[in-house]
Each structure stands twice: as C-alpha cells, then as structure tokens.
Amino acid sequence: MTNKHYPQCEKLSSCSNEVQSINEFLEWCQENGFALMDFNTSGDPVKLQEPVDRLIHKSLGVDVAELEAERQDMIANLGS
C-alpha cells in the first residue's frame, strides 16, 4: 500500500480549530440577525449567496475541486 499525499485535505485539517471558531461565530451572527452581505450590480446590498464553507475554504487557500477529488480518491482507496 502506498502512502498518498492529499495537500488540500491536509491544509483544511491543519486549520480545523480556526474553521470551527469561524463557524461558531457565523452561527452566532445568524442567531442574532446578522448576515453576510454583498452588493448587486446596482450597488444595493443583498444577502451573500455563496455558501459559508466555500468562503472559509477560499480564505484558507483550499481549492474546493481538488479537495473533493482528494476525498473521492480516499473513498475509492479505502478497500485497498
């Protein structure tokens, strides 16, 4: 069996405490009526449509497509 390297999963795993803290804060914000906002083409504020986990991944420099490919590879190799 070969030890595989999964850089995106490792990057995300190394930041698990930070991710948990961010998620807890955002959950608190939502419970207290705060929302992440963006601006539409007219310059009006609108609720951000991008999923929070995707924003967190972007802020950590995690490539979501590569992360999913690594996860699928791990699953495929479970029985190996």
mmCIF file of all heavy atoms in Angstrom, residues 2-50:
data_model
loop_
_atom_site.group_PDB
_atom_site.id
_atom_site.type_symbol
_atom_site.label_atom_id
_atom_site.label_comp_id
_atom_site.label_asym_id
_atom_site.label_seq_id
_atom_site.Cartn_x
_atom_site.Cartn_y
_atom_site.Cartn_z
ATOM 1 N N THR A 2 0.546 2.198 -0.835
ATOM 2 C CA THR A 2 1.305 3.435 -0.962
ATOM 3 C C THR A 2 0.671 4.516 -0.103
ATOM 4 O O THR A 2 -0.543 4.663 -0.073
ATOM 5 C CB THR A 2 1.299 3.911 -2.428
ATOM 6 O OG1 THR A 2 1.768 2.853 -3.253
ATOM 7 C CG2 THR A 2 2.169 5.118 -2.602
ATOM 8 N N ASN A 3 1.515 5.282 0.596
ATOM 9 C CA ASN A 3 1.002 6.422 1.351
ATOM 10 C C ASN A 3 0.789 7.564 0.379
ATOM 11 O O ASN A 3 1.719 8.021 -0.262
ATOM 12 C CB ASN A 3 1.996 6.851 2.439
ATOM 13 C CG ASN A 3 2.016 5.883 3.598
ATOM 14 O OD1 ASN A 3 1.048 5.189 3.841
ATOM 15 N ND2 ASN A 3 3.122 5.848 4.312
ATOM 16 N N LYS A 4 -0.456 7.986 0.265
ATOM 17 C CA LYS A 4 -0.787 9.072 -0.650
ATOM 18 C C LYS A 4 -0.734 10.392 0.074
ATOM 19 O O LYS A 4 -0.926 10.467 1.285
ATOM 20 C CB LYS A 4 -2.165 8.854 -1.252
ATOM 21 C CG LYS A 4 -2.204 7.723 -2.248
ATOM 22 C CD LYS A 4 -3.321 7.938 -3.196
ATOM 23 C CE LYS A 4 -3.119 7.065 -4.404
ATOM 24 N NZ LYS A 4 -4.052 7.382 -5.443
ATOM 25 N N HIS A 5 -0.507 11.420 -0.706
ATOM 26 C CA HIS A 5 -0.430 12.787 -0.190
ATOM 27 C C HIS A 5 -1.674 13.533 -0.650
ATOM 28 O O HIS A 5 -1.994 13.532 -1.834
ATOM 29 C CB HIS A 5 0.841 13.451 -0.729
ATOM 30 C CG HIS A 5 1.093 14.810 -0.207
ATOM 31 N ND1 HIS A 5 1.332 15.072 1.119
ATOM 32 C CD2 HIS A 5 1.134 16.014 -0.839
ATOM 33 C CE1 HIS A 5 1.511 16.376 1.276
ATOM 34 N NE2 HIS A 5 1.396 16.961 0.106
ATOM 35 N N TYR A 6 -2.394 14.127 0.294
ATOM 36 C CA TYR A 6 -3.616 14.868 -0.006
ATOM 37 C C TYR A 6 -3.462 16.301 0.502
ATOM 38 O O TYR A 6 -3.900 16.635 1.609
ATOM 39 C CB TYR A 6 -4.826 14.195 0.644
ATOM 40 C CG TYR A 6 -5.068 12.790 0.143
ATOM 41 C CD1 TYR A 6 -4.744 11.686 0.915
ATOM 42 C CD2 TYR A 6 -5.640 12.586 -1.105
ATOM 43 C CE1 TYR A 6 -4.982 10.398 0.449
ATOM 44 C CE2 TYR A 6 -5.880 11.305 -1.580
ATOM 45 C CZ TYR A 6 -5.550 10.217 -0.794
ATOM 46 O OH TYR A 6 -5.794 8.952 -1.257
ATOM 47 N N PRO A 7 -2.831 17.175 -0.284
ATOM 48 C CA PRO A 7 -2.488 18.517 0.203
ATOM 49 C C PRO A 7 -3.692 19.392 0.591
ATOM 50 O O PRO A 7 -3.612 20.128 1.574
ATOM 51 C CB PRO A 7 -1.708 19.140 -0.954
ATOM 52 C CG PRO A 7 -2.001 18.315 -2.143
ATOM 53 C CD PRO A 7 -2.352 16.955 -1.646
ATOM 54 N N GLN A 8 -4.790 19.296 -0.139
ATOM 55 C CA GLN A 8 -5.940 20.147 0.196
ATOM 56 C C GLN A 8 -6.604 19.668 1.483
ATOM 57 O O GLN A 8 -6.982 20.479 2.336
ATOM 58 C CB GLN A 8 -6.946 20.183 -0.956
ATOM 59 C CG GLN A 8 -6.381 20.746 -2.246
ATOM 60 C CD GLN A 8 -5.788 22.131 -2.086
ATOM 61 O OE1 GLN A 8 -6.426 23.038 -1.573
ATOM 62 N NE2 GLN A 8 -4.556 22.307 -2.542
ATOM 63 N N CYS A 9 -6.736 18.366 1.639
ATOM 64 C CA CYS A 9 -7.299 17.815 2.879
ATOM 65 C C CYS A 9 -6.401 18.133 4.067
ATOM 66 O O CYS A 9 -6.887 18.466 5.154
ATOM 67 C CB CYS A 9 -7.487 16.305 2.747
ATOM 68 S SG CYS A 9 -8.823 15.826 1.631
ATOM 69 N N GLU A 10 -5.091 18.032 3.860
ATOM 70 C CA GLU A 10 -4.145 18.333 4.933
ATOM 71 C C GLU A 10 -4.212 19.810 5.316
ATOM 72 O O GLU A 10 -4.163 20.151 6.506
ATOM 73 C CB GLU A 10 -2.731 17.948 4.498
ATOM 74 C CG GLU A 10 -2.548 16.445 4.374
ATOM 75 C CD GLU A 10 -1.268 16.036 3.659
ATOM 76 O OE1 GLU A 10 -0.421 16.905 3.370
ATOM 77 O OE2 GLU A 10 -1.136 14.832 3.375
ATOM 78 N N LYS A 11 -4.340 20.671 4.316
ATOM 79 C CA LYS A 11 -4.428 22.107 4.577
ATOM 80 C C LYS A 11 -5.674 22.413 5.416
ATOM 81 O O LYS A 11 -5.610 23.134 6.403
ATOM 82 C CB LYS A 11 -4.485 22.876 3.256
ATOM 83 C CG LYS A 11 -4.347 24.374 3.409
ATOM 84 C CD LYS A 11 -4.473 25.099 2.069
ATOM 85 C CE LYS A 11 -3.410 24.714 1.075
ATOM 86 N NZ LYS A 11 -3.483 25.505 -0.175
ATOM 87 N N LEU A 12 -6.801 21.827 5.018
ATOM 88 C CA LEU A 12 -8.048 22.053 5.739
ATOM 89 C C LEU A 12 -7.975 21.466 7.149
ATOM 90 O O LEU A 12 -8.391 22.094 8.117
ATOM 91 C CB LEU A 12 -9.216 21.450 4.963
ATOM 92 C CG LEU A 12 -10.610 21.748 5.485
ATOM 93 C CD1 LEU A 12 -10.863 23.256 5.557
ATOM 94 C CD2 LEU A 12 -11.652 21.074 4.602
ATOM 95 N N SER A 13 -7.404 20.288 7.264
ATOM 96 C CA SER A 13 -7.279 19.630 8.570
ATOM 97 C C SER A 13 -6.393 20.429 9.524
ATOM 98 O O SER A 13 -6.678 20.521 10.719
ATOM 99 C CB SER A 13 -6.707 18.227 8.384
ATOM 100 O OG SER A 13 -6.542 17.602 9.625
ATOM 101 N N SER A 14 -5.340 21.031 8.992
ATOM 102 C CA SER A 14 -4.420 21.787 9.848
ATOM 103 C C SER A 14 -5.066 23.055 10.410
ATOM 104 O O SER A 14 -4.561 23.641 11.352
ATOM 105 C CB SER A 14 -3.139 22.134 9.090
ATOM 106 O OG SER A 14 -3.388 23.125 8.119
ATOM 107 N N CYS A 15 -6.196 23.459 9.814
ATOM 108 C CA CYS A 15 -6.896 24.671 10.254
ATOM 109 C C CYS A 15 -8.224 24.352 10.935
ATOM 110 O O CYS A 15 -9.085 25.229 11.058
ATOM 111 C CB CYS A 15 -7.169 25.570 9.049
ATOM 112 S SG CYS A 15 -5.696 26.122 8.195
ATOM 113 N N SER A 16 -8.396 23.122 11.398
ATOM 114 C CA SER A 16 -9.703 22.711 11.903
ATOM 115 C C SER A 16 -10.185 23.556 13.079
ATOM 116 O O SER A 16 -11.380 23.853 13.177
ATOM 117 C CB SER A 16 -9.700 21.230 12.280
ATOM 118 O OG SER A 16 -8.783 20.981 13.318
ATOM 119 N N ASN A 17 -9.285 23.977 13.964
ATOM 120 C CA ASN A 17 -9.698 24.820 15.094
ATOM 121 C C ASN A 17 -10.202 26.173 14.614
ATOM 122 O O ASN A 17 -11.212 26.685 15.116
ATOM 123 C CB ASN A 17 -8.552 25.014 16.086
ATOM 124 C CG ASN A 17 -8.222 23.752 16.852
ATOM 125 O OD1 ASN A 17 -9.060 22.871 17.002
ATOM 126 N ND2 ASN A 17 -7.000 23.661 17.326
ATOM 127 N N GLU A 18 -9.510 26.751 13.640
ATOM 128 C CA GLU A 18 -9.924 28.038 13.097
ATOM 129 C C GLU A 18 -11.273 27.924 12.389
ATOM 130 O O GLU A 18 -12.149 28.775 12.555
ATOM 131 C CB GLU A 18 -8.877 28.590 12.127
ATOM 132 C CG GLU A 18 -7.581 29.018 12.780
ATOM 133 C CD GLU A 18 -6.566 27.895 12.912
ATOM 134 O OE1 GLU A 18 -6.919 26.701 12.804
ATOM 135 O OE2 GLU A 18 -5.394 28.206 13.154
ATOM 136 N N VAL A 19 -11.444 26.853 11.612
ATOM 137 C CA VAL A 19 -12.693 26.641 10.894
ATOM 138 C C VAL A 19 -13.850 26.506 11.881
ATOM 139 O O VAL A 19 -14.916 27.093 11.690
ATOM 140 C CB VAL A 19 -12.596 25.404 9.968
ATOM 141 C CG1 VAL A 19 -13.954 25.020 9.405
ATOM 142 C CG2 VAL A 19 -11.598 25.656 8.847
ATOM 143 N N GLN A 20 -13.633 25.758 12.947
ATOM 144 C CA GLN A 20 -14.674 25.582 13.967
ATOM 145 C C GLN A 20 -15.031 26.927 14.602
ATOM 146 O O GLN A 20 -16.216 27.240 14.783
ATOM 147 C CB GLN A 20 -14.229 24.592 15.038
ATOM 148 C CG GLN A 20 -15.291 24.360 16.096
ATOM 149 C CD GLN A 20 -14.872 23.331 17.124
ATOM 150 O OE1 GLN A 20 -13.849 22.662 16.991
ATOM 151 N NE2 GLN A 20 -15.658 23.199 18.163
ATOM 152 N N SER A 21 -14.031 27.729 14.928
ATOM 153 C CA SER A 21 -14.287 29.049 15.531
ATOM 154 C C SER A 21 -15.058 29.959 14.578
ATOM 155 O O SER A 21 -15.992 30.651 14.996
ATOM 156 C CB SER A 21 -12.967 29.723 15.918
ATOM 157 O OG SER A 21 -12.328 28.999 16.929
ATOM 158 N N ILE A 22 -14.683 29.951 13.308
ATOM 159 C CA ILE A 22 -15.377 30.773 12.316
ATOM 160 C C ILE A 22 -16.834 30.332 12.202
ATOM 161 O O ILE A 22 -17.746 31.156 12.198
ATOM 162 C CB ILE A 22 -14.669 30.716 10.947
ATOM 163 C CG1 ILE A 22 -13.304 31.392 11.022
ATOM 164 C CG2 ILE A 22 -15.531 31.355 9.860
ATOM 165 C CD1 ILE A 22 -12.404 31.120 9.834
ATOM 166 N N ASN A 23 -17.054 29.021 12.112
ATOM 167 C CA ASN A 23 -18.417 28.507 12.004
ATOM 168 C C ASN A 23 -19.254 28.854 13.227
ATOM 169 O O ASN A 23 -20.425 29.216 13.100
ATOM 170 C CB ASN A 23 -18.407 26.993 11.774
ATOM 171 C CG ASN A 23 -18.179 26.624 10.338
ATOM 172 O OD1 ASN A 23 -18.672 27.284 9.431
ATOM 173 N ND2 ASN A 23 -17.432 25.570 10.106
ATOM 174 N N GLU A 24 -18.670 28.752 14.414
ATOM 175 C CA GLU A 24 -19.396 29.106 15.637
ATOM 176 C C GLU A 24 -19.764 30.589 15.635
ATOM 177 O O GLU A 24 -20.879 30.967 16.014
ATOM 178 C CB GLU A 24 -18.573 28.755 16.868
ATOM 179 C CG GLU A 24 -18.491 27.262 17.119
ATOM 180 C CD GLU A 24 -17.518 26.890 18.224
ATOM 181 O OE1 GLU A 24 -16.913 27.794 18.854
ATOM 182 O OE2 GLU A 24 -17.349 25.670 18.454
ATOM 183 N N PHE A 25 -18.836 31.438 15.204
ATOM 184 C CA PHE A 25 -19.114 32.865 15.147
ATOM 185 C C PHE A 25 -20.228 33.166 14.143
ATOM 186 O O PHE A 25 -21.153 33.925 14.434
ATOM 187 C CB PHE A 25 -17.851 33.653 14.786
ATOM 188 C CG PHE A 25 -18.112 35.106 14.554
ATOM 189 C CD1 PHE A 25 -18.427 35.944 15.619
ATOM 190 C CD2 PHE A 25 -18.063 35.633 13.276
ATOM 191 C CE1 PHE A 25 -18.685 37.289 15.407
ATOM 192 C CE2 PHE A 25 -18.314 36.984 13.062
ATOM 193 C CZ PHE A 25 -18.632 37.811 14.123
ATOM 194 N N LEU A 26 -20.149 32.567 12.965
ATOM 195 C CA LEU A 26 -21.167 32.811 11.948
ATOM 196 C C LEU A 26 -22.534 32.287 12.382
ATOM 197 O O LEU A 26 -23.563 32.898 12.079
ATOM 198 C CB LEU A 26 -20.740 32.203 10.615
ATOM 199 C CG LEU A 26 -19.545 32.880 9.955
ATOM 200 C CD1 LEU A 26 -19.096 32.106 8.724
ATOM 201 C CD2 LEU A 26 -19.842 34.330 9.620
ATOM 202 N N GLU A 27 -22.550 31.174 13.105
ATOM 203 C CA GLU A 27 -23.802 30.660 13.644
ATOM 204 C C GLU A 27 -24.390 31.653 14.652
ATOM 205 O O GLU A 27 -25.581 31.941 14.639
ATOM 206 C CB GLU A 27 -23.565 29.307 14.314
ATOM 207 C CG GLU A 27 -24.814 28.631 14.822
ATOM 208 C CD GLU A 27 -24.513 27.274 15.427
ATOM 209 O OE1 GLU A 27 -23.858 26.450 14.747
ATOM 210 O OE2 GLU A 27 -24.927 27.045 16.574
ATOM 211 N N TRP A 28 -23.528 32.209 15.501
ATOM 212 C CA TRP A 28 -23.975 33.221 16.461
ATOM 213 C C TRP A 28 -24.529 34.431 15.722
ATOM 214 O O TRP A 28 -25.580 34.973 16.106
ATOM 215 C CB TRP A 28 -22.811 33.639 17.365
ATOM 216 C CG TRP A 28 -23.183 34.721 18.326
ATOM 217 C CD1 TRP A 28 -23.705 34.564 19.575
ATOM 218 C CD2 TRP A 28 -23.088 36.136 18.106
ATOM 219 N NE1 TRP A 28 -23.942 35.799 20.144
ATOM 220 C CE2 TRP A 28 -23.574 36.773 19.267
ATOM 221 C CE3 TRP A 28 -22.648 36.924 17.050
ATOM 222 C CZ2 TRP A 28 -23.620 38.158 19.393
ATOM 223 C CZ3 TRP A 28 -22.701 38.305 17.166
ATOM 224 C CH2 TRP A 28 -23.178 38.900 18.328
ATOM 225 N N CYS A 29 -23.845 34.871 14.679
ATOM 226 C CA CYS A 29 -24.320 36.012 13.883
ATOM 227 C C CYS A 29 -25.711 35.742 13.341
ATOM 228 O O CYS A 29 -26.604 36.595 13.430
ATOM 229 C CB CYS A 29 -23.363 36.305 12.727
ATOM 230 S SG CYS A 29 -21.804 37.052 13.234
ATOM 231 N N GLN A 30 -25.894 34.557 12.768
ATOM 232 C CA GLN A 30 -27.189 34.215 12.191
ATOM 233 C C GLN A 30 -28.272 34.198 13.270
ATOM 234 O O GLN A 30 -29.369 34.715 13.058
ATOM 235 C CB GLN A 30 -27.107 32.852 11.497
ATOM 236 C CG GLN A 30 -28.375 32.469 10.759
ATOM 237 C CD GLN A 30 -28.204 31.165 10.010
ATOM 238 O OE1 GLN A 30 -27.280 30.396 10.243
ATOM 239 N NE2 GLN A 30 -29.125 30.898 9.103
ATOM 240 N N GLU A 31 -27.978 33.631 14.419
ATOM 241 C CA GLU A 31 -28.942 33.571 15.516
ATOM 242 C C GLU A 31 -29.317 34.963 16.027
ATOM 243 O O GLU A 31 -30.387 35.150 16.589
ATOM 244 C CB GLU A 31 -28.382 32.742 16.670
ATOM 245 C CG GLU A 31 -28.286 31.260 16.369
ATOM 246 C CD GLU A 31 -27.504 30.499 17.427
ATOM 247 O OE1 GLU A 31 -26.981 31.121 18.387
ATOM 248 O OE2 GLU A 31 -27.393 29.265 17.280
ATOM 249 N N ASN A 32 -28.440 35.920 15.817
ATOM 250 C CA ASN A 32 -28.657 37.276 16.306
ATOM 251 C C ASN A 32 -29.024 38.269 15.204
ATOM 252 O O ASN A 32 -28.942 39.480 15.398
ATOM 253 C CB ASN A 32 -27.428 37.748 17.086
ATOM 254 C CG ASN A 32 -27.318 37.026 18.414
ATOM 255 O OD1 ASN A 32 -27.984 37.390 19.373
ATOM 256 N ND2 ASN A 32 -26.525 35.962 18.463
ATOM 257 N N GLY A 33 -29.432 37.754 14.058
ATOM 258 C CA GLY A 33 -29.953 38.590 12.986
ATOM 259 C C GLY A 33 -28.928 39.256 12.093
ATOM 260 O O GLY A 33 -29.282 40.139 11.315
ATOM 261 N N PHE A 34 -27.681 38.846 12.180
ATOM 262 C CA PHE A 34 -26.646 39.395 11.301
ATOM 263 C C PHE A 34 -26.498 38.502 10.075
ATOM 264 O O PHE A 34 -26.691 37.293 10.159
ATOM 265 C CB PHE A 34 -25.302 39.490 12.015
ATOM 266 C CG PHE A 34 -25.300 40.433 13.175
ATOM 267 C CD1 PHE A 34 -25.417 39.953 14.476
ATOM 268 C CD2 PHE A 34 -25.198 41.800 12.983
ATOM 269 C CE1 PHE A 34 -25.420 40.821 15.556
ATOM 270 C CE2 PHE A 34 -25.201 42.677 14.060
ATOM 271 C CZ PHE A 34 -25.322 42.174 15.349
ATOM 272 N N ALA A 35 -26.146 39.089 8.948
ATOM 273 C CA ALA A 35 -25.954 38.316 7.717
ATOM 274 C C ALA A 35 -24.772 38.882 6.945
ATOM 275 O O ALA A 35 -24.491 40.076 7.011
ATOM 276 C CB ALA A 35 -27.214 38.380 6.857
ATOM 277 N N LEU A 36 -24.111 38.013 6.206
ATOM 278 C CA LEU A 36 -23.050 38.462 5.306
ATOM 279 C C LEU A 36 -23.715 39.064 4.078
ATOM 280 O O LEU A 36 -24.650 38.488 3.522
ATOM 281 C CB LEU A 36 -22.159 37.293 4.896
ATOM 282 C CG LEU A 36 -21.326 36.658 5.998
ATOM 283 C CD1 LEU A 36 -20.566 35.452 5.463
ATOM 284 C CD2 LEU A 36 -20.363 37.661 6.596
ATOM 285 N N MET A 37 -23.235 40.216 3.677
ATOM 286 C CA MET A 37 -23.855 40.932 2.565
ATOM 287 C C MET A 37 -22.854 41.151 1.433
ATOM 288 O O MET A 37 -21.649 41.147 1.641
ATOM 289 C CB MET A 37 -24.389 42.283 3.044
ATOM 290 C CG MET A 37 -25.374 42.197 4.203
ATOM 291 S SD MET A 37 -26.894 41.337 3.820
ATOM 292 C CE MET A 37 -27.736 42.592 2.870
ATOM 293 N N ASP A 38 -23.415 41.360 0.256
ATOM 294 C CA ASP A 38 -22.655 41.697 -0.940
ATOM 295 C C ASP A 38 -23.432 42.816 -1.637
ATOM 296 O O ASP A 38 -24.455 43.260 -1.126
ATOM 297 C CB ASP A 38 -22.538 40.470 -1.842
ATOM 298 C CG ASP A 38 -21.401 40.571 -2.849
ATOM 299 O OD1 ASP A 38 -20.716 41.615 -2.888
ATOM 300 O OD2 ASP A 38 -21.203 39.604 -3.604
ATOM 301 N N PHE A 39 -22.956 43.272 -2.748
ATOM 302 C CA PHE A 39 -23.657 44.314 -3.491
ATOM 303 C C PHE A 39 -24.030 43.792 -4.866
ATOM 304 O O PHE A 39 -23.225 43.127 -5.518
ATOM 305 C CB PHE A 39 -22.793 45.571 -3.619
ATOM 306 C CG PHE A 39 -22.510 46.209 -2.299
ATOM 307 C CD1 PHE A 39 -21.356 45.927 -1.602
ATOM 308 C CD2 PHE A 39 -23.431 47.089 -1.742
ATOM 309 C CE1 PHE A 39 -21.108 46.515 -0.371
ATOM 310 C CE2 PHE A 39 -23.193 47.679 -0.507
ATOM 311 C CZ PHE A 39 -22.019 47.392 0.179
ATOM 312 N N ASN A 40 -25.235 44.104 -5.317
ATOM 313 C CA ASN A 40 -25.636 43.715 -6.670
ATOM 314 C C ASN A 40 -25.082 44.720 -7.667
ATOM 315 O O ASN A 40 -24.377 45.658 -7.295
ATOM 316 C CB ASN A 40 -27.161 43.555 -6.776
ATOM 317 C CG ASN A 40 -27.908 44.855 -6.544
ATOM 318 O OD1 ASN A 40 -27.350 45.954 -6.600
ATOM 319 N ND2 ASN A 40 -29.197 44.733 -6.268
ATOM 320 N N THR A 41 -25.403 44.533 -8.931
ATOM 321 C CA THR A 41 -24.850 45.403 -9.980
ATOM 322 C C THR A 41 -25.326 46.844 -9.856
ATOM 323 O O THR A 41 -24.677 47.753 -10.377
ATOM 324 C CB THR A 41 -25.218 44.868 -11.378
ATOM 325 O OG1 THR A 41 -26.640 44.710 -11.458
ATOM 326 C CG2 THR A 41 -24.544 43.533 -11.640
ATOM 327 N N SER A 42 -26.432 47.066 -9.150
ATOM 328 C CA SER A 42 -26.932 48.433 -8.934
ATOM 329 C C SER A 42 -26.300 49.090 -7.711
ATOM 330 O O SER A 42 -26.570 50.250 -7.421
ATOM 331 C CB SER A 42 -28.449 48.414 -8.753
ATOM 332 O OG SER A 42 -29.074 47.840 -9.866
ATOM 333 N N GLY A 43 -25.490 48.324 -6.989
ATOM 334 C CA GLY A 43 -24.854 48.860 -5.795
ATOM 335 C C GLY A 43 -25.682 48.698 -4.532
ATOM 336 O O GLY A 43 -25.319 49.206 -3.479
ATOM 337 N N ASP A 44 -26.797 47.973 -4.633
ATOM 338 C CA ASP A 44 -27.643 47.736 -3.469
ATOM 339 C C ASP A 44 -27.149 46.525 -2.686
ATOM 340 O O ASP A 44 -26.722 45.528 -3.283
ATOM 341 C CB ASP A 44 -29.096 47.484 -3.905
ATOM 342 C CG ASP A 44 -29.680 48.670 -4.655
ATOM 343 O OD1 ASP A 44 -29.428 49.811 -4.224
ATOM 344 O OD2 ASP A 44 -30.372 48.450 -5.666
ATOM 345 N N PRO A 45 -27.229 46.579 -1.352
ATOM 346 C CA PRO A 45 -26.806 45.417 -0.567
ATOM 347 C C PRO A 45 -27.795 44.259 -0.720
ATOM 348 O O PRO A 45 -29.002 44.458 -0.749
ATOM 349 C CB PRO A 45 -26.793 45.938 0.866
ATOM 350 C CG PRO A 45 -27.677 47.136 0.863
ATOM 351 C CD PRO A 45 -27.653 47.696 -0.520
ATOM 352 N N VAL A 46 -27.242 43.065 -0.863
ATOM 353 C CA VAL A 46 -28.030 41.838 -0.949
ATOM 354 C C VAL A 46 -27.350 40.777 -0.099
ATOM 355 O O VAL A 46 -26.130 40.799 0.089
ATOM 356 C CB VAL A 46 -28.175 41.329 -2.400
ATOM 357 C CG1 VAL A 46 -29.011 42.279 -3.236
ATOM 358 C CG2 VAL A 46 -26.826 41.097 -3.046
ATOM 359 N N LYS A 47 -28.147 39.850 0.420
ATOM 360 C CA LYS A 47 -27.584 38.769 1.224
ATOM 361 C C LYS A 47 -26.645 37.932 0.359
ATOM 362 O O LYS A 47 -26.960 37.601 -0.787
ATOM 363 C CB LYS A 47 -28.699 37.904 1.798
ATOM 364 C CG LYS A 47 -28.214 36.910 2.805
ATOM 365 C CD LYS A 47 -29.354 36.200 3.498
ATOM 366 C CE LYS A 47 -28.802 35.214 4.503
ATOM 367 N NZ LYS A 47 -29.858 34.486 5.172
ATOM 368 N N LEU A 48 -25.491 37.619 0.889
ATOM 369 C CA LEU A 48 -24.489 36.841 0.171
ATOM 370 C C LEU A 48 -25.036 35.461 -0.162
ATOM 371 O O LEU A 48 -25.579 34.781 0.705
ATOM 372 C CB LEU A 48 -23.226 36.719 1.023
ATOM 373 C CG LEU A 48 -22.011 36.115 0.366
ATOM 374 C CD1 LEU A 48 -21.514 37.025 -0.748
ATOM 375 C CD2 LEU A 48 -20.912 35.906 1.376
ATOM 376 N N GLN A 49 -24.901 35.051 -1.406
ATOM 377 C CA GLN A 49 -25.434 33.774 -1.861
ATOM 378 C C GLN A 49 -24.413 32.638 -1.789
ATOM 379 O O GLN A 49 -24.786 31.480 -1.820
ATOM 380 C CB GLN A 49 -25.959 33.908 -3.293
ATOM 381 C CG GLN A 49 -27.106 34.878 -3.415
ATOM 382 C CD GLN A 49 -28.304 34.486 -2.565
ATOM 383 O OE1 GLN A 49 -28.773 33.352 -2.623
ATOM 384 N NE2 GLN A 49 -28.785 35.400 -1.750
ATOM 385 N N GLU A 50 -23.142 32.975 -1.720
ATOM 386 C CA GLU A 50 -22.104 31.939 -1.709
ATOM 387 C C GLU A 50 -22.134 31.197 -0.366
ATOM 388 O O GLU A 50 -22.210 31.821 0.692
ATOM 389 C CB GLU A 50 -20.724 32.573 -1.927
ATOM 390 C CG GLU A 50 -19.643 31.556 -2.161
ATOM 391 C CD GLU A 50 -18.402 32.150 -2.777
ATOM 392 O OE1 GLU A 50 -18.258 33.379 -2.831
ATOM 393 O OE2 GLU A 50 -17.552 31.368 -3.214
#
